[in-house]
Amino acid sequence: MRAIQVTRHGGPDVMAYGTAPDPIPGPGEALVRTTAIGVNFIDTYIRRGLYPSTPPYIPGSEGAGVVVSVGSEVTDIEVGQRVCWCDSAGSYAEIVAVDASRLVPVPDGIDDAAAGSSLLRGLTAHYLLDGSAHPSAGDTVLVHAGAGGVGLVLTQMAKNRGLTVITTVSGDEKAELSTAAGADHVLRYGDDLVSQVREITGGRGVPVTYDGVGADTFEQSLAVTAVRGIIVLFGAASGPVPPFDLQRLNPAGSLSVTRPTLAHFIADTDELRWRAGEFLGAVADGTVDVRVGQRYRLADAAQAHTDLEARATTGSTVLLPD
């Protein structure tokens, strides 16, 4: 099969397109021929060595495709079934062996590109609203990177739950996308961001700030969060937040900061499929619109990483095997 391999830790140039042995499904696994592969920031973190990995390896954890065979002990996934996944290593390949308990059936009405590049974002948005924080209808939340893959989905799901949503974006095109997703207030990054959020909220700030940007926005996240509010730091698109003195949370308003990861909110198969079912159901019925912003050939995965890290993408990014 054809696949991408990360040859060493580093920039996008360490990714090589070539051949690799076809995987063989073990007990409890299904073999899936990929039709679409999701590209996510966590792929870039692992490639750079921020998260543990041992090169050479095939990157990626998300995709969609058709089951071509199953190993022993698989009872709830069938050959020919359309499926998607978000936590299976080695997904930048034409064929992937996936633990069958981590596969999610793709509902009719959702195409492979959307399913293969949105499950991770949809599950992330789901646990951000119902897991790492629990904003109530009528609350106002701030979503950094409102035109990003998670930001667009999170905005729509937040609006469906009766929340007022403030987003931050970097330019006019992204502002239009965030507005179309339902954001009530779309702001630019900048020195006056804090005063704008405080003005919108009558000086109180927001009870929940969702920050997937990290280093560039964290100080502003602290400044815009209301007394007894929570900052959900779920990513580091601009780099990790430097070491932080927890005592600062006291004068800032008895704030809380959490650094969650999706894996802890979908560790159980039942919870995975509950969250996935709610998200994919919303996509299928049109309640949530998934925007596939970029499509690349599998061979061009390095360019996809370059564009993602330059924050030059919107919506989700997908690799398409030849």
Side-chain angles (χ1 to χ4, degrees), residues 218-219 221-223 225-231 244-258:
F218 185 69
E219 289 297 326
S221 294
L222 288 173
T225 304
V227 171
R228 295 170 59 181
I230 182 170
I231 300 161
F244 176 72
D245 181 5
L246 292 177
Q247 182 58 30
R248 292 183 58 198
L249 299 175
N250 181 339
S254 297
L255 303 183
S256 299
V257 177
T258 183

PDB file of all heavy atoms in Angstrom, residues 218-219 221-223 225-231 244-258:
ATOM      1  N   PHE A 218      -3.498  32.986  25.467  1.00  0.00           N
ATOM      2  CA  PHE A 218      -3.808  32.575  26.836  1.00  0.00           C
ATOM      3  C   PHE A 218      -3.932  33.752  27.793  1.00  0.00           C
ATOM      4  O   PHE A 218      -4.831  33.773  28.648  1.00  0.00           O
ATOM      5  CB  PHE A 218      -2.755  31.588  27.339  1.00  0.00           C
ATOM      6  CG  PHE A 218      -3.066  31.021  28.701  1.00  0.00           C
ATOM      7  CD1 PHE A 218      -4.121  30.160  28.879  1.00  0.00           C
ATOM      8  CD2 PHE A 218      -2.301  31.379  29.805  1.00  0.00           C
ATOM      9  CE1 PHE A 218      -4.426  29.638  30.132  1.00  0.00           C
ATOM     10  CE2 PHE A 218      -2.593  30.866  31.059  1.00  0.00           C
ATOM     11  CZ  PHE A 218      -3.656  29.996  31.229  1.00  0.00           C
ATOM     12  N   GLU A 219      -3.062  34.746  27.686  1.00  0.00           N
ATOM     13  CA  GLU A 219      -3.152  35.891  28.586  1.00  0.00           C
ATOM     14  C   GLU A 219      -4.473  36.632  28.403  1.00  0.00           C
ATOM     15  O   GLU A 219      -5.094  37.081  29.376  1.00  0.00           O
ATOM     16  CB  GLU A 219      -1.975  36.842  28.363  1.00  0.00           C
ATOM     17  CG  GLU A 219      -0.638  36.300  28.843  1.00  0.00           C
ATOM     18  CD  GLU A 219      -0.601  36.061  30.352  1.00  0.00           C
ATOM     19  OE1 GLU A 219      -1.249  36.827  31.098  1.00  0.00           O
ATOM     20  OE2 GLU A 219       0.069  35.089  30.778  1.00  0.00           O
ATOM     21  N   SER A 221      -7.194  35.222  27.341  1.00  0.00           N
ATOM     22  CA  SER A 221      -8.214  34.329  27.884  1.00  0.00           C
ATOM     23  C   SER A 221      -8.384  34.554  29.386  1.00  0.00           C
ATOM     24  O   SER A 221      -9.507  34.586  29.903  1.00  0.00           O
ATOM     25  CB  SER A 221      -7.842  32.865  27.609  1.00  0.00           C
ATOM     26  OG  SER A 221      -7.863  32.591  26.230  1.00  0.00           O
ATOM     27  N   LEU A 222      -7.277  34.709  30.095  1.00  0.00           N
ATOM     28  CA  LEU A 222      -7.357  35.005  31.522  1.00  0.00           C
ATOM     29  C   LEU A 222      -8.105  36.312  31.781  1.00  0.00           C
ATOM     30  O   LEU A 222      -8.918  36.420  32.701  1.00  0.00           O
ATOM     31  CB  LEU A 222      -5.949  35.109  32.117  1.00  0.00           C
ATOM     32  CG  LEU A 222      -5.138  33.829  32.271  1.00  0.00           C
ATOM     33  CD1 LEU A 222      -3.719  34.166  32.710  1.00  0.00           C
ATOM     34  CD2 LEU A 222      -5.788  32.895  33.284  1.00  0.00           C
ATOM     35  N   ALA A 223      -7.836  37.299  30.932  1.00  0.00           N
ATOM     36  CA  ALA A 223      -8.376  38.640  31.163  1.00  0.00           C
ATOM     37  C   ALA A 223      -9.851  38.774  30.807  1.00  0.00           C
ATOM     38  O   ALA A 223     -10.506  39.701  31.297  1.00  0.00           O
ATOM     39  CB  ALA A 223      -7.562  39.666  30.374  1.00  0.00           C
ATOM     40  N   THR A 225     -12.177  36.215  31.121  1.00  0.00           N
ATOM     41  CA  THR A 225     -13.009  35.224  31.803  1.00  0.00           C
ATOM     42  C   THR A 225     -13.568  35.806  33.097  1.00  0.00           C
ATOM     43  O   THR A 225     -12.861  36.457  33.862  1.00  0.00           O
ATOM     44  CB  THR A 225     -12.206  33.940  32.074  1.00  0.00           C
ATOM     45  OG1 THR A 225     -11.686  33.448  30.834  1.00  0.00           O
ATOM     46  CG2 THR A 225     -13.081  32.863  32.682  1.00  0.00           C
ATOM     47  N   ALA A 226     -14.857  35.562  33.325  1.00  0.00           N
ATOM     48  CA  ALA A 226     -15.568  36.146  34.460  1.00  0.00           C
ATOM     49  C   ALA A 226     -15.128  35.523  35.784  1.00  0.00           C
ATOM     50  O   ALA A 226     -14.524  34.439  35.817  1.00  0.00           O
ATOM     51  CB  ALA A 226     -17.070  35.954  34.274  1.00  0.00           C
ATOM     52  N   VAL A 227     -15.445  36.204  36.863  1.00  0.00           N
ATOM     53  CA  VAL A 227     -15.188  35.679  38.206  1.00  0.00           C
ATOM     54  C   VAL A 227     -15.791  34.277  38.327  1.00  0.00           C
ATOM     55  O   VAL A 227     -16.931  34.031  37.935  1.00  0.00           O
ATOM     56  CB  VAL A 227     -15.793  36.614  39.275  1.00  0.00           C
ATOM     57  CG1 VAL A 227     -15.737  35.969  40.658  1.00  0.00           C
ATOM     58  CG2 VAL A 227     -15.052  37.945  39.281  1.00  0.00           C
ATOM     59  N   ARG A 228     -14.979  33.354  38.816  1.00  0.00           N
ATOM     60  CA  ARG A 228     -15.343  31.946  38.996  1.00  0.00           C
ATOM     61  C   ARG A 228     -15.557  31.232  37.671  1.00  0.00           C
ATOM     62  O   ARG A 228     -16.123  30.148  37.620  1.00  0.00           O
ATOM     63  CB  ARG A 228     -16.569  31.792  39.908  1.00  0.00           C
ATOM     64  CG  ARG A 228     -16.322  32.250  41.331  1.00  0.00           C
ATOM     65  CD  ARG A 228     -17.586  32.316  42.155  1.00  0.00           C
ATOM     66  NE  ARG A 228     -18.261  31.019  42.232  1.00  0.00           N
ATOM     67  CZ  ARG A 228     -19.411  30.824  42.887  1.00  0.00           C
ATOM     68  NH1 ARG A 228     -19.994  31.840  43.518  1.00  0.00           N
ATOM     69  NH2 ARG A 228     -19.961  29.624  42.916  1.00  0.00           N
ATOM     70  N   GLY A 229     -15.050  31.824  36.587  1.00  0.00           N
ATOM     71  CA  GLY A 229     -15.169  31.205  35.279  1.00  0.00           C
ATOM     72  C   GLY A 229     -14.084  30.176  35.038  1.00  0.00           C
ATOM     73  O   GLY A 229     -13.192  29.956  35.861  1.00  0.00           O
ATOM     74  N   ILE A 230     -14.166  29.536  33.857  1.00  0.00           N
ATOM     75  CA  ILE A 230     -13.224  28.476  33.523  1.00  0.00           C
ATOM     76  C   ILE A 230     -12.640  28.712  32.134  1.00  0.00           C
ATOM     77  O   ILE A 230     -13.348  29.116  31.208  1.00  0.00           O
ATOM     78  CB  ILE A 230     -13.900  27.083  33.599  1.00  0.00           C
ATOM     79  CG1 ILE A 230     -12.891  25.962  33.288  1.00  0.00           C
ATOM     80  CG2 ILE A 230     -15.106  26.994  32.658  1.00  0.00           C
ATOM     81  CD1 ILE A 230     -13.437  24.568  33.583  1.00  0.00           C
ATOM     82  N   ILE A 231     -11.342  28.491  32.017  1.00  0.00           N
ATOM     83  CA  ILE A 231     -10.659  28.528  30.728  1.00  0.00           C
ATOM     84  C   ILE A 231     -10.365  27.092  30.336  1.00  0.00           C
ATOM     85  O   ILE A 231      -9.686  26.364  31.061  1.00  0.00           O
ATOM     86  CB  ILE A 231      -9.348  29.323  30.820  1.00  0.00           C
ATOM     87  CG1 ILE A 231      -9.624  30.763  31.250  1.00  0.00           C
ATOM     88  CG2 ILE A 231      -8.605  29.311  29.483  1.00  0.00           C
ATOM     89  CD1 ILE A 231      -8.417  31.475  31.790  1.00  0.00           C
ATOM     90  N   PHE A 244       3.136  28.293  34.218  1.00  0.00           N
ATOM     91  CA  PHE A 244       2.155  29.259  34.702  1.00  0.00           C
ATOM     92  C   PHE A 244       2.024  29.169  36.222  1.00  0.00           C
ATOM     93  O   PHE A 244       1.897  28.069  36.776  1.00  0.00           O
ATOM     94  CB  PHE A 244       0.814  28.962  34.021  1.00  0.00           C
ATOM     95  CG  PHE A 244      -0.329  29.806  34.484  1.00  0.00           C
ATOM     96  CD1 PHE A 244      -0.406  31.148  34.145  1.00  0.00           C
ATOM     97  CD2 PHE A 244      -1.334  29.259  35.263  1.00  0.00           C
ATOM     98  CE1 PHE A 244      -1.464  31.922  34.573  1.00  0.00           C
ATOM     99  CE2 PHE A 244      -2.390  30.028  35.704  1.00  0.00           C
ATOM    100  CZ  PHE A 244      -2.457  31.367  35.342  1.00  0.00           C
ATOM    101  N   ASP A 245       2.048  30.306  36.894  1.00  0.00           N
ATOM    102  CA  ASP A 245       1.890  30.383  38.348  1.00  0.00           C
ATOM    103  C   ASP A 245       0.406  30.324  38.697  1.00  0.00           C
ATOM    104  O   ASP A 245      -0.343  31.265  38.421  1.00  0.00           O
ATOM    105  CB  ASP A 245       2.510  31.682  38.865  1.00  0.00           C
ATOM    106  CG  ASP A 245       2.400  31.825  40.382  1.00  0.00           C
ATOM    107  OD1 ASP A 245       1.924  30.881  41.043  1.00  0.00           O
ATOM    108  OD2 ASP A 245       2.780  32.905  40.892  1.00  0.00           O
ATOM    109  N   LEU A 246      -0.027  29.240  39.318  1.00  0.00           N
ATOM    110  CA  LEU A 246      -1.438  29.082  39.639  1.00  0.00           C
ATOM    111  C   LEU A 246      -1.968  30.165  40.567  1.00  0.00           C
ATOM    112  O   LEU A 246      -3.168  30.446  40.578  1.00  0.00           O
ATOM    113  CB  LEU A 246      -1.671  27.705  40.271  1.00  0.00           C
ATOM    114  CG  LEU A 246      -1.470  26.494  39.348  1.00  0.00           C
ATOM    115  CD1 LEU A 246      -1.674  25.204  40.130  1.00  0.00           C
ATOM    116  CD2 LEU A 246      -2.413  26.556  38.164  1.00  0.00           C
ATOM    117  N   GLN A 247      -1.092  30.799  41.342  1.00  0.00           N
ATOM    118  CA  GLN A 247      -1.543  31.853  42.240  1.00  0.00           C
ATOM    119  C   GLN A 247      -2.200  32.994  41.469  1.00  0.00           C
ATOM    120  O   GLN A 247      -3.041  33.722  42.016  1.00  0.00           O
ATOM    121  CB  GLN A 247      -0.358  32.377  43.065  1.00  0.00           C
ATOM    122  CG  GLN A 247      -0.707  33.460  44.073  1.00  0.00           C
ATOM    123  CD  GLN A 247      -1.758  33.018  45.084  1.00  0.00           C
ATOM    124  OE1 GLN A 247      -1.855  31.836  45.425  1.00  0.00           O
ATOM    125  NE2 GLN A 247      -2.580  33.971  45.554  1.00  0.00           N
ATOM    126  N   ARG A 248      -1.858  33.167  40.205  1.00  0.00           N
ATOM    127  CA  ARG A 248      -2.445  34.238  39.398  1.00  0.00           C
ATOM    128  C   ARG A 248      -3.955  34.065  39.223  1.00  0.00           C
ATOM    129  O   ARG A 248      -4.665  35.025  38.911  1.00  0.00           O
ATOM    130  CB  ARG A 248      -1.783  34.299  38.019  1.00  0.00           C
ATOM    131  CG  ARG A 248      -0.328  34.750  38.046  1.00  0.00           C
ATOM    132  CD  ARG A 248       0.217  34.861  36.634  1.00  0.00           C
ATOM    133  NE  ARG A 248      -0.574  35.790  35.828  1.00  0.00           N
ATOM    134  CZ  ARG A 248      -0.554  35.837  34.505  1.00  0.00           C
ATOM    135  NH1 ARG A 248       0.209  34.986  33.836  1.00  0.00           N
ATOM    136  NH2 ARG A 248      -1.290  36.703  33.849  1.00  0.00           N
ATOM    137  N   LEU A 249      -4.449  32.846  39.378  1.00  0.00           N
ATOM    138  CA  LEU A 249      -5.877  32.605  39.203  1.00  0.00           C
ATOM    139  C   LEU A 249      -6.711  33.245  40.305  1.00  0.00           C
ATOM    140  O   LEU A 249      -7.905  33.505  40.122  1.00  0.00           O
ATOM    141  CB  LEU A 249      -6.156  31.101  39.162  1.00  0.00           C
ATOM    142  CG  LEU A 249      -5.475  30.325  38.028  1.00  0.00           C
ATOM    143  CD1 LEU A 249      -5.736  28.831  38.182  1.00  0.00           C
ATOM    144  CD2 LEU A 249      -5.967  30.814  36.674  1.00  0.00           C
ATOM    145  N   ASN A 250      -6.075  33.491  41.449  1.00  0.00           N
ATOM    146  CA  ASN A 250      -6.780  34.092  42.586  1.00  0.00           C
ATOM    147  C   ASN A 250      -7.208  35.528  42.295  1.00  0.00           C
ATOM    148  O   ASN A 250      -8.405  35.826  42.216  1.00  0.00           O
ATOM    149  CB  ASN A 250      -5.876  33.982  43.822  1.00  0.00           C
ATOM    150  CG  ASN A 250      -6.500  34.560  45.073  1.00  0.00           C
ATOM    151  OD1 ASN A 250      -7.406  35.379  45.022  1.00  0.00           O
ATOM    152  ND2 ASN A 250      -5.994  34.133  46.222  1.00  0.00           N
ATOM    153  N   PRO A 251      -6.288  36.470  42.086  1.00  0.00           N
ATOM    154  CA  PRO A 251      -6.702  37.853  41.820  1.00  0.00           C
ATOM    155  C   PRO A 251      -7.432  38.020  40.482  1.00  0.00           C
ATOM    156  O   PRO A 251      -8.157  39.001  40.286  1.00  0.00           O
ATOM    157  CB  PRO A 251      -5.381  38.621  41.824  1.00  0.00           C
ATOM    158  CG  PRO A 251      -4.329  37.620  41.503  1.00  0.00           C
ATOM    159  CD  PRO A 251      -4.806  36.349  42.135  1.00  0.00           C
ATOM    160  N   ALA A 252      -7.252  37.064  39.569  1.00  0.00           N
ATOM    161  CA  ALA A 252      -7.940  37.156  38.276  1.00  0.00           C
ATOM    162  C   ALA A 252      -9.428  36.858  38.400  1.00  0.00           C
ATOM    163  O   ALA A 252     -10.186  37.090  37.458  1.00  0.00           O
ATOM    164  CB  ALA A 252      -7.312  36.201  37.279  1.00  0.00           C
ATOM    165  N   GLY A 253      -9.858  36.366  39.578  1.00  0.00           N
ATOM    166  CA  GLY A 253     -11.279  36.120  39.785  1.00  0.00           C
ATOM    167  C   GLY A 253     -11.606  34.701  40.218  1.00  0.00           C
ATOM    168  O   GLY A 253     -12.672  34.196  39.907  1.00  0.00           O
ATOM    169  N   SER A 254     -10.688  34.077  40.964  1.00  0.00           N
ATOM    170  CA  SER A 254     -10.890  32.679  41.375  1.00  0.00           C
ATOM    171  C   SER A 254     -11.203  31.805  40.164  1.00  0.00           C
ATOM    172  O   SER A 254     -12.131  30.997  40.159  1.00  0.00           O
ATOM    173  CB  SER A 254     -12.010  32.575  42.417  1.00  0.00           C
ATOM    174  OG  SER A 254     -11.677  33.280  43.593  1.00  0.00           O
ATOM    175  N   LEU A 255     -10.394  31.977  39.134  1.00  0.00           N
ATOM    176  CA  LEU A 255     -10.607  31.255  37.883  1.00  0.00           C
ATOM    177  C   LEU A 255     -10.142  29.815  37.983  1.00  0.00           C
ATOM    178  O   LEU A 255      -9.339  29.461  38.848  1.00  0.00           O
ATOM    179  CB  LEU A 255      -9.850  31.939  36.738  1.00  0.00           C
ATOM    180  CG  LEU A 255     -10.165  33.406  36.460  1.00  0.00           C
ATOM    181  CD1 LEU A 255      -9.375  33.882  35.244  1.00  0.00           C
ATOM    182  CD2 LEU A 255     -11.654  33.613  36.247  1.00  0.00           C
ATOM    183  N   SER A 256     -10.651  28.996  37.052  1.00  0.00           N
ATOM    184  CA  SER A 256     -10.184  27.627  36.888  1.00  0.00           C
ATOM    185  C   SER A 256      -9.622  27.484  35.482  1.00  0.00           C
ATOM    186  O   SER A 256     -10.106  28.112  34.543  1.00  0.00           O
ATOM    187  CB  SER A 256     -11.330  26.624  37.075  1.00  0.00           C
ATOM    188  OG  SER A 256     -11.876  26.711  38.372  1.00  0.00           O
ATOM    189  N   VAL A 257      -8.590  26.661  35.344  1.00  0.00           N
ATOM    190  CA  VAL A 257      -8.031  26.330  34.035  1.00  0.00           C
ATOM    191  C   VAL A 257      -7.972  24.814  33.937  1.00  0.00           C
ATOM    192  O   VAL A 257      -7.503  24.144  34.861  1.00  0.00           O
ATOM    193  CB  VAL A 257      -6.617  26.911  33.843  1.00  0.00           C
ATOM    194  CG1 VAL A 257      -6.043  26.466  32.492  1.00  0.00           C
ATOM    195  CG2 VAL A 257      -6.634  28.428  33.936  1.00  0.00           C
ATOM    196  N   THR A 258      -8.451  24.280  32.833  1.00  0.00           N
ATOM    197  CA  THR A 258      -8.360  22.842  32.602  1.00  0.00           C
ATOM    198  C   THR A 258      -7.691  22.596  31.259  1.00  0.00           C
ATOM    199  O   THR A 258      -7.853  23.375  30.325  1.00  0.00           O
ATOM    200  CB  THR A 258      -9.754  22.174  32.645  1.00  0.00           C
ATOM    201  OG1 THR A 258      -9.616  20.760  32.491  1.00  0.00           O
ATOM    202  CG2 THR A 258     -10.669  22.715  31.565  1.00  0.00           C
TER     203      THR A 258
END
